[in-house]
Amino acid sequence: MLFSSHHLRGLFVALYFSASFINAQNNTSYWQQHVDYTMEVDVDVNTYTYKGTQKLVYTNNSPDVLNRVFYHLYFNAFQPGSEMDARLQDIADPDSRMFTEGKSRIAALTPEEIGYLRISSLAQDGQSLSFKEEGTILVVDLAKPIAPGEKSTLDMDFQGQIPVQIRRSGRNNDENVALSMSQWYPKLAEYDFEGWHADPYIAREFHGVWGNFDVKITIDQKYVVGGSGYLQNPQEIGHGYDTSGAEGTVKKDKNKKSKAKKTLTWHFKAPMVHDFMWAADPDYIHDTLQVPNGPMLHFFYKNKPEIRDNWKNLQPKTAEAMTFFSKNIGPYPYDQYSVIQGGDGGMEYAMATLITGERTFGSLVGVMVHELAHSWFQHVLATNEAKHEWMDEGFTSFISALAMNEIMTPKKENPFEATYNSYYRLVESGKEQPQTTHADRYALNFAYGISAYSKGALFLSQLGYIIGQDKLMESVRNYYENFKFKHPTPNDVKRTAEKVSGMHLDWYLTDWTQTTNTIDYGIKEVSAANEKTKITLERIGLMPMPIDVLVVYNDGSQETFYAPLRMMYGEKDNPYPGLERTVLPNWAWAYSTYDFSIDKPLSSIQAVVIDPSQLMADVNAENNIWQP
């Protein structure tokens, strides 16, 4: 019978994902800065304002003398006329969460609804400092330069107002969660080998300095608080934190404090993280679940009957996902993780996530799995999301797709089919920009989203096509082990895969991330050559790739042929167990055509197929199949 295009190209997809997903030298010149935050804040839940003190001990591990430092004041973005407001009104496809009825929600905020962070005093080692607020960035001239290897203490008093929920953080979101407190404190900007990263908060995500957080939050005693870190005073607090009992049980606890007390002070410590988030609501249910050989999970969600079952059923799925990621990337390094209803969709933070909770069960599991995966790809492997967002969102999308296929039903033959189709839509639109584009500089949100999430995920799934699936997963595990608690760059990913595979992969990193070159290979001709068959392949797109070819014969037998890419200087193992494979001479990119012969007559061939795995992101599948 004749095979359809879909059937032939999908014939061996399952083989790529049926395998069990089971030390590179570090650059000795690598360094990173370190911070220790001690903060105390008093929150007025009636006015949505708070006052705080911050003691920040900054360790300059760089080889440079620092004369200035910079802080992020994220809440200042939620004011009419801010850079975020201006960009929202200027971009052709504004975020629908922030732009309704043809208007910017930020532009409509009243003085009582805006967000702000204001600094009332700042001192370095006891000496007052001059500083200037420039939108969402605080520019600080130091009284004394910080020399390499030195520490300096910065003491600050600040005030904040929590904005109406518009993006990620804020008050009273659409699901009526009172406080989603992310990006809520003056946060020191990162300084690394590239210099300062004092990016204004316009739309995208974050970059931070590794360090330790000691945070005390004083708030109305009726409110339940969840977030980053370990609660230091659970017996004083109650609210479900003072737990005991059998491992793996889900428990709740009533507040043990006297109702006469108006406030409680919640004391959290979060070691070796680069951010701190918390959320609070008087109606939160707080459940806990111990992951066997893993962390304690905390769940905070509104006490609404219509969502209760979904949130109860979410809890064992979270444990399953935690186990999957720990096995396939590396062990989760903290002893707790919190899943919290709040925010405006799903957003990851250190040791916790904010997700909206009024979803179908499948959607709730999906958003949890994605944000939980960020605990590895961003909150342990802390890439600069302004410059390399695809390493964060893309790698998270890749591993979360595999996790969803493991813990949910029905199983998908190709868990990345929708991801590839999304990338193809971007290419067809003509709106693609290179992945090296700064996250704020994408012309369209559409282009940013697909580049970061879909094309970023394809970087890994397609890398599996190039080096082999086992080598890919070994590379992922080695990448985690070698760069955890650091700020890895794209070259670190590439070099890890090179060391695992023995191949040269600079061409892949360059073309896929630094250009918009596309992959398009085709079968140009299949012709008789005496009693043999000559096959001519052609490279139409600019991006090079190694090529797998499947030949299906009329008698039902099949075999594959593999043309390594010359510039790889290596070849992958046979990815199709049980099928005979012929390794052909390598194909140099500069040659646009490539010929090889089969020792069987043309009349015996039913079909010839390029890349039956469908893991190569070829933009034109029509020329990948030949049938007589």
Side-chain angles (χ1 to χ4, degrees):
M1 71 173 186
L2 291 181
F3 286 74
S4 69
S5 169
H6 174 78
H7 181 86
L8 283 167
R9 297 193 77 227
L11 199 56
F12 293 98
V13 169
L15 292 175
Y16 261 86
F17 301 105
S18 62
S20 175
F21 294 116
I22 50 180
N23 292 327
Q25 292 292 319
N26 291 326
N27 185 345
T28 55
S29 65
Y30 177 82
W31 53 267
Q32 65 188 29
Q33 306 293 66
H34 182 86
V35 289
D36 290 305
Y37 288 92
T38 302
M39 293 188 284
E40 297 186 13
V41 293
D42 288 290
V43 182
D44 187 329
V45 297
N46 297 311
T47 62
Y48 302 105
T49 59
Y50 55 100
K51 295 181 179 180
T53 62
Q54 180 188 93
K55 177 181 179 181
L56 190 155
V57 180
Y58 185 46
T59 304
N60 180 16
N61 291 320
S62 82
D64 307 319
V65 175
L66 303 181
N67 296 296
R68 294 201 297 180
V69 297
F70 300 81
Y71 289 80
H72 296 281
L73 307 175
Y74 292 116
F75 271 5
N76 290 355
F78 301 102
Q79 299 174 12
S82 70
E83 288 188 71
M84 184 182 282
D85 183 28
R87 183 62 178 147
L88 187 60
Q89 298 188 55
D90 182 62
I91 198 167
D93 60 338
D95 189 324
S96 61
R97 292 166 293 191
M98 305 166 67
F99 198 87
T100 59
E101 298 179 352
K103 298 179 181 178
S104 162
R105 291 182 60 206
I106 296 177
L109 292 175
T110 67
E112 292 74 29
E113 295 173 329
I114 66 169
Y116 63 71
L117 274 170
R118 295 171 182 164
I119 311 307
S120 54
S121 69
L122 181 57
Q124 179 192 8
D125 298 324
Q127 187 171 349
S128 295
L129 297 178
S130 61
F131 51 87
K132 183 179 181 182
E133 183 182 302
E134 297 190 3
T136 60
I137 297 296
L138 187 74
V139 183
V140 181
D141 293 315
L142 295 174
K144 177 186 176 183
I146 308 175
E150 286 189 350
K151 294 184 178 183
S152 191
T153 300
L154 299 165
D155 287 290
M156 175 189 292
D157 292 323
F158 64 95
Q159 302 87 39
Q161 179 166 287
I162 306 160
V164 169
Q165 176 78 49
I166 291 178
R167 188 70 180 99
R168 296 192 177 97
S169 51
R171 69 201 203 217
N172 302 325
N173 76 346
D174 287 343
E175 296 179 354
N176 202 34
V177 174
L179 300 175
S180 298
M181 298 297 287
S182 53
Q183 296 85 240
W184 60 276
Y185 61 95
K187 178 181 175 182
L188 194 72
E190 178 64 292
Y191 183 83
D192 62 17
F193 71 101
E194 295 178 311
W196 285 103
H197 295 278
D199 294 308
Y201 186 28
I202 295 176
R204 307 302 180 198
E205 297 183 20
F206 313 103
H207 192 34
V209 190
W210 282 107
N212 304 308
F213 287 74
D214 186 319
V215 181
K216 292 181 179 178
I217 302 162
T218 300
I219 193 169
D220 187 307
Q221 62 93 19
K222 295 188 296 295
Y223 280 64
V224 181
V225 178
S228 303
Y230 307 114
L231 185 66
Q232 301 298 295
N233 54 340
Q235 293 181 332
E236 175 187 354
I237 292 296
H239 280 303
Y241 278 96
D242 185 14
T243 58
S244 59
E247 182 179 52
T249 60
V250 178
K251 295 179 63 63
K252 290 194 300 180
D253 189 16
K254 294 183 179 180
N255 178 24
K256 296 182 178 180
K257 294 300 296 178
S258 167
K259 293 184 179 180
K261 186 172 177 63
K262 293 183 178 180
T263 62
L264 285 174
T265 297
W266 303 64
H267 185 193
F268 292 95
K269 288 186 178 180
M272 203 51 181
V273 296
H274 53 89
D275 203 358
F276 187 97
M277 175 273 290
W278 59 280
D281 192 275
D283 295 323
Y284 270 154
I285 292 175
H286 176 200
D287 293 341
T288 60
L289 175 64
Q290 178 68 53
V291 179
N293 301 311
M296 176 69 78
L297 301 176
H298 296 261
F299 299 87
F300 301 87
Y301 55 99
K302 296 283 285 187
N303 188 7
K304 295 182 178 180
E306 61 270 26
I307 69 171
R308 191 174 298 141
D309 286 347
N310 279 351
W311 275 83
K312 292 291 186 184
N313 294 331
L314 176 70
Q315 295 167 25
K317 290 298 181 184
T318 308
E320 289 181 55
M322 177 70 73
T323 301
F324 180 91
F325 295 140
S326 290
K327 174 184 175 183
N328 290 293
I329 309 173
Y332 180 73
Y334 305 105
D335 291 331
Q336 82 91 29
Y337 183 82
S338 297
V339 181
I340 307 170
Q341 184 181 1
D344 66 344
M347 182 61 199
E348 74 279 1
Y349 297 97
M351 303 170 69
T353 184
L354 288 172
I355 62 173
T356 47
E358 296 177 5
R359 299 167 173 261
T360 64
F361 181 65
S363 176
L364 190 65
V365 174
V367 70
M368 174 277 295
V369 166
H370 182 87
E371 305 310 335
L372 175 59
H374 275 301
S375 290
W376 283 260
F377 295 119
Q378 185 50 25
H379 284 285
V380 176
L381 297 161
T383 56
N384 182 343
E385 294 179 286
K387 299 188 69 174
H388 313 301
E389 63 279 357
W390 59 273
M391 293 174 64
D392 161 47
E393 295 297 352
F395 292 7
T396 289
S397 296
F398 169 82
I399 201 69
S400 59
L402 293 179
M404 286 293 286
N405 220 38
E406 176 75 14
I407 70 173
M408 298 292 281
T409 54
K411 309 299 183 187
K412 296 179 180 178
E413 185 179 47
N414 181 357
F416 300 109
E417 181 178 5
T419 307
Y420 280 81
N421 290 336
S422 178
Y423 166 67
Y424 297 145
R425 286 195 301 272
L426 175 61
V427 172
E428 291 170 1
S429 74
K431 304 296 184 181
E432 184 182 6
Q433 294 173 249
Q435 287 182 310
T436 49
T437 302
H438 189 284
D440 286 325
R441 243 70 89 211
Y442 280 85
L444 297 170
N445 282 317
F446 158 78
Y448 165 81
I450 295 179
S451 178
Y453 291 77
S454 300
K455 192 177 181 183
L458 297 194
F459 179 90
L460 288 184
S461 63
Q462 191 167 239
L463 182 60
Y465 168 79
I466 296 167
I467 68 175
Q469 192 70 24
D470 290 343
K471 293 290 194 297
L472 168 66
M473 298 311 295
E474 183 182 348
S475 296
V476 169
R477 292 189 292 271
N478 283 10
Y479 172 54
Y480 176 80
E481 182 61 29
N482 293 326
F483 295 98
K484 59 188 177 183
F485 302 113
K486 296 181 181 178
H487 294 296
T489 66
N491 191 64
D492 295 323
V493 177
K494 182 207 76 171
R495 289 293 293 134
T496 300
E498 286 183 331
K499 292 172 184 178
V500 169
S501 68
M503 298 181 189
H504 291 204
L505 297 170
D506 193 65
W507 60 272
Y508 182 56
L509 179 68
T510 298
D511 274 67
W512 191 252
T513 69
Q514 298 176 26
T515 78
T516 56
N517 293 343
T518 57
I519 301 165
D520 185 7
Y521 282 84
I523 301 170
K524 187 175 184 178
E525 186 179 17
V526 179
S527 59
N530 297 322
E531 292 302 310
K532 298 182 180 181
T533 300
K534 177 184 176 183
I535 297 178
T536 300
L537 307 177
E538 63 179 334
R539 176 187 55 75
I540 302 165
L542 285 174
M543 182 167 174
M545 288 292 284
I547 299 299
D548 286 339
V549 177
L550 168 72
V551 178
V552 180
Y553 298 102
N554 290 326
D555 63 4
S557 62
Q558 304 160 11
E559 64 177 323
T560 64
F561 297 82
Y562 172 54
L565 181 66
R566 180 176 292 178
M567 66 180 76
M568 296 191 316
Y569 302 108
E571 59 189 56
K572 67 181 174 183
D573 295 333
N574 185 358
Y576 305 111
L579 279 186
E580 180 181 347
R581 183 181 75 158
T582 299
V583 178
L584 303 168
N586 58 48
W587 183 354
W589 172 85
Y591 301 109
S592 59
T593 61
Y594 180 92
D595 298 329
F596 70 97
S597 294
I598 298 175
D599 291 332
K600 290 190 178 182
L602 177 62
S603 59
S604 69
I605 296 177
Q606 184 181 116
V608 180
V609 184
I610 289 177
D611 180 28
S613 72
Q614 300 185 71
L615 291 179
M616 185 173 72
D618 192 308
V619 297
N620 180 14
E622 297 303 315
N623 60 11
N624 287 9
I625 297 173
W626 176 90
Q627 291 177 291

